[in-house]
Amino acid sequence: MTSQKVVCLGAGIVGGCTQVVFASKCKTHDFYVVDIDEERIKGWNNFKPNYYEPGLNKLLKTCLNKNLFFTTDFENTLKDATLIFLSVGTPTKQRGEMKGIGTNLSYIESCCRMIAKYAKNEKVIVIEKSTVPVGTAQKITNFLQEYNKNETENEKENENETTKENKKKQKQIVVLSNPEFLAEGTAIKNLQHPDRVLIGGPNTEFGKYAQEQLKQLYKGWVPEEKIFFSNTWSTELSKLTSNAMLAQRVSSINSISQICEEIGAEVTQVSKNMGSDPRIGSRFLNASVGFGGSCFEKDILNLIYLCEHYHLYVVAKYWKSVLELNNHQKLRFAKNIADTMFQNLENKKITILGFTFKKNTDDVRGSAAIDVCNYLLGEGAILSIYDPKAKPKHIKLSLKGYNENQLIICDSVSNAVIDSHALVVLTEWDEFTQIDLSKCYQKMIHPSYIFDGRNIINRKSAQKIGFNIYSVGFPK
Ligand code: NAD
Ligand code: UGA
């Protein structure tokens, strides 16, 4: 196959990580990642991506400026591109109609405008990597074809050239859906060993050609039987429903954690007992303080929007309950801290262990820690927060309505625990499983409490030392 230029719009977690892995696997192609954020591009070009992902930096070194380039130059990068990935954000709308449910497609639209304006190749294959509402590929196709038609007609009028010449200039455009399933913290591993690659596109001659071109990109390292083709609607929907199903499992086990606490069962045991049935499976059955991240909630909202659009209100209600349960789990966890500690947190120092939405990432977007900490701050607590990777500025920006003296960001567990009344575990970082609880206990105010939102602290050892411990889904 001849060498091709691949362009990706958006140098975030998905855009950056996918292109690094593509570049490391496909030496026959050149990969260009374009972003409007100059700082972000500078970071990539200095081998310092502005977020943490295990294995990323090492891989980046193998391909940056060889067959992988980061730039803010849309015009020159797009002009001769054939394969163009869209990897920009698709957040939930913050205003207007369907505020808080619908998807803000402004970043996708601005990419389409760039493509329409600058992509001059006769064949243009646009690929949705971003998670988008079902039907977006059609919207993009309509927009690009409309733009192209106007452009060609203008040229006809201006140049007064032969029809033959104009026909030659007419761009062929197709939009494919190729959603991404990487999870943060394991992104590189997930991309190198995907469970499946989905490719959706139209069943036209050019549609089939485009799907084959995209398949060629993956073929170097993804076994053919793991590349699934379907129509665009199915592919777009599969992305939303995959996240919805994963989130639903977490809400399901979290609902069971509440039953366990009432009747004296242990949720970890129940998970193990259920999960050993291969029809159920053991993954995503860890009860927790609640799921977080930038996607589960937004993608379920996206699904709810779709259901409501088609008047499927019972279905919409079903998926809403997954989010309701998650919000309830976060709130009841936070309330339990106050209830257990004399229903009074005023000026009490509480140590927060972990702020990111899961381990092995520095991403705090949508983290359950935000809701829990906001509740505790609202009750007047003083929080000393330690997270191995979260950036202090991101922690500060995500919390609200507190006084400066209510927030201390620490650089170690041992500093964070001094004079605190409770340890609250909100992220399952490996280092928290190794904490010297006796040393912590000595530095803390007594009675001392542990509230374990991830079930990673050994309950018996903690109790032996003198802690009162609450773990999600264990008898109180
Ligand atoms: P992100 O916020 O990390 O990155 C988005 C990037 O797009 C930013 O760098 C931003 O500056 C850039 N951008 C905005 N407008 C642009 C434009 N017009 N041209 C070029 N760049 C522009 O987002 P992310 O976490 O990488 O997610 C991107 C998409 O992938 C979302 O739709 C998300 O739902 C989906 N997704 C995310 C994950 C994940 O784990 N984060 C996994 C699978 C899918
Ligand atoms: C998730 C999906 O796993 C990816 O396949 C998908 O590509 C991505 O969303 C996306 O579209 O953005 P991610 O959000 O990075 O990936 O992380 P997950 O590992 O799925 O965890 C999500 C949340 O659920 C975390 O807060 C995690 O702590 C929580 N969780 C997960 C639990 O509480 N219990 C579990 O058993 C599993």
Side-chain angles (χ1 to χ4, degrees):
M1 192 193 169
T2 50
S3 164
Q4 260 187 351
K5 180 177 184 181
V6 177
V7 174
C8 172
L9 303 183
I13 297 176
V14 169
C17 290
T18 54
Q19 302 310 300
V20 168
V21 172
F22 279 153
S24 70
K25 297 287 186 186
C26 299
K27 300 292 181 196
T28 50
H29 290 57
D30 287 334
F31 297 84
Y32 289 79
V33 189
V34 198
D35 203 294
I36 46 173
D37 183 338
E38 283 182 20
E39 281 307 305
R40 198 161 265 211
I41 291 299
K42 235 186 247 169
W44 282 105
N45 281 326
N46 289 329
F47 297 93
K48 285 187 188 128
N50 75 342
Y51 52 83
Y52 169 73
E53 192 58 48
L56 174 61
N57 290 16
K58 196 171 154 206
L59 206 56
L60 180 64
K61 282 188 191 134
T62 66
C63 42
L64 183 62
N65 298 330
K66 291 176 186 143
N67 66 335
L68 175 66
F69 308 91
F70 289 86
T71 175
T72 52
D73 183 349
F74 284 85
E75 184 168 358
N76 282 312
T77 312
L78 281 170
K79 71 178 179 207
D80 52 350
T82 308
L83 289 168
I84 307 171
F85 284 95
L86 301 179
S87 300
V88 294
T90 46
T92 304
K93 275 183 84 173
Q94 293 305 319
R95 62 175 169 190
E97 185 94 12
M98 298 312 280
K99 168 185 169 183
I101 302 182
T103 303
N104 172 356
L105 286 175
S106 62
Y107 304 106
I108 293 281
E109 183 184 338
S110 69
C111 289
C112 292
R113 289 186 183 278
M114 297 286 195
I115 294 169
K117 195 167 167 196
Y118 297 128
K120 299 289 177 212
N121 224 322
E122 279 174 24
K123 287 188 168 69
V124 176
I125 302 167
V126 178
I127 305 154
E128 294 172 340
K129 256 286 165 225
S130 301
T131 305
V132 290
V134 177
T136 303
Q138 193 55 52
K139 273 198 184 79
I140 299 174
T141 310
N142 295 347
F143 174 88
L144 291 176
Q145 282 176 347
E146 193 59 27
Y147 191 102
N148 193 26
K149 203 173 90 197
N150 290 341
E151 205 184 37
T152 316
E153 274 165 13
N154 285 345
E155 276 175 18
K156 262 190 205 169
E157 268 176 33
N158 294 342
E159 291 174 15
N160 207 10
E161 276 295 328
T162 60
T163 324
K164 229 181 177 181
E165 192 55 27
N166 278 317
K167 266 193 184 155
K168 222 173 97 190
K169 278 188 184 161
Q170 185 94 31
K171 262 189 250 172
Q172 275 188 294
I173 297 165
V174 73
V175 182
L176 304 181
S177 164
N178 175 225
E180 185 46 60
F181 294 99
L182 67 80
E184 290 179 36
T186 51
I188 299 300
K189 208 172 85 197
N190 298 150
L191 286 161
Q192 289 173 331
H193 308 281
D195 301 315
R196 78 296 205 191
V197 168
L198 305 191
I199 299 179
N203 203 13
T204 58
E205 198 184 323
F206 187 49
K208 284 190 217 150
Y209 164 85
Q211 291 173 56
E212 184 55 34
Q213 294 297 301
L214 182 54
K215 181 181 151 190
Q216 290 301 327
L217 262 192
Y218 287 102
K219 234 180 103 182
W221 81 101
V222 181
E224 204 146 343
E225 65 275 14
K226 287 194 175 179
I227 304 181
F228 301 166
F229 294 92
S230 55
N231 72 33
T232 318
W233 300 77
S234 309
T235 312
E236 288 178 334
L237 183 61
S238 302
K239 173 60 196 176
L240 296 183
T241 51
S242 295
N243 274 359
M245 291 289 276
L246 290 171
Q248 182 251 47
R249 266 175 86 89
V250 179
S251 277
S252 295
I253 196 65
N254 281 344
S255 78
I256 292 166
S257 76
Q258 298 179 35
I259 303 173
C260 289
E261 287 172 26
E262 295 301 327
I263 66 169
E266 297 184 358
V267 74
T268 47
Q269 203 60 58
V270 177
S271 291
K272 187 175 166 206
N273 296 344
M274 290 192 306
S276 57
D277 180 336
R279 292 171 303 172
I280 297 174
S282 60
R283 296 175 71 184
F284 269 73
L285 284 185
N286 293 322
S288 68
V289 56
F291 62 73
S294 60
C295 294
F296 276 5
E297 183 173 282
K298 123 178 132 55
D299 294 348
I300 292 182
L301 288 169
N302 203 328
L303 194 59
I304 293 168
Y305 177 81
L306 184 72
C307 297
E308 291 187 345
H309 178 81
Y310 288 102
H311 308 293
L312 305 173
Y313 298 113
V314 176
V315 187
K317 198 170 151 202
Y318 173 76
W319 289 109
K320 272 183 195 168
S321 73
V322 171
L323 296 179
E324 269 164 25
L325 197 292
N326 195 48
N327 288 332
H328 176 63
Q329 186 78 346
K330 291 186 274 191
L331 189 64
R332 83 180 184 94
F333 182 88
K335 270 190 172 158
N336 178 49
I337 297 174
D339 289 349
T340 310
M341 293 169 66
F342 222 84
Q343 284 178 333
N344 170 34
L345 298 180
E346 205 67 55
N347 290 322
K348 281 186 178 160
K349 190 173 171 191
I350 295 180
T351 299
I352 302 294
L353 297 183
F355 200 86
T356 53
F357 80 99
K358 63 189 280 198
K359 70 174 180 180
N360 294 336
T361 174
D362 57 0
D363 197 346
V364 305
R365 291 179 292 177
S367 177
I370 298 172
D371 291 332
V372 172
C373 290
N374 276 333
Y375 181 91
L376 301 176
L377 290 168
E379 289 294 311
I382 297 166
L383 303 185
S384 70
I385 302 180
Y386 169 67
D387 186 285
K389 289 287 176 203
K391 296 188 179 76
K393 73 170 180 194
H394 290 162
I395 296 178
K396 285 183 186 158
L397 278 173
S398 58
L399 298 173
K400 56 175 188 236
Y402 60 91
N403 300 324
E404 280 300 305
N405 57 8
Q406 275 186 281
L407 200 59
I408 309 160
I409 299 189
C410 300
D411 57 3
S412 68
V413 177
S414 57
N415 284 340
V417 296
I418 298 167
D419 292 337
S420 88
H421 292 255
L423 294 181
V424 178
V425 181
L426 297 180
T427 314
E428 73 285 17
W429 285 101
D430 290 343
E431 75 169 85
F432 299 158
T433 62
Q434 315 289 328
I435 293 174
D436 187 334
L437 288 176
S438 302
K439 275 197 185 148
C440 290
Y441 189 73
Q442 283 161 22
K443 292 181 178 180
M444 291 172 66
I445 308 268
H446 302 153
S448 313
Y449 299 88
I450 294 178
F451 299 92
D452 184 359
R454 295 291 183 167
N455 290 340
I456 56 169
I457 302 290
N458 185 310
R459 288 170 56 79
K460 284 210 177 97
S461 314
Q463 279 160 345
K464 213 166 146 199
I465 291 164
F467 279 106
N468 295 299
I469 179 162
Y470 160 84
S471 316
V472 171
F474 278 73
K476 283 190 191 166

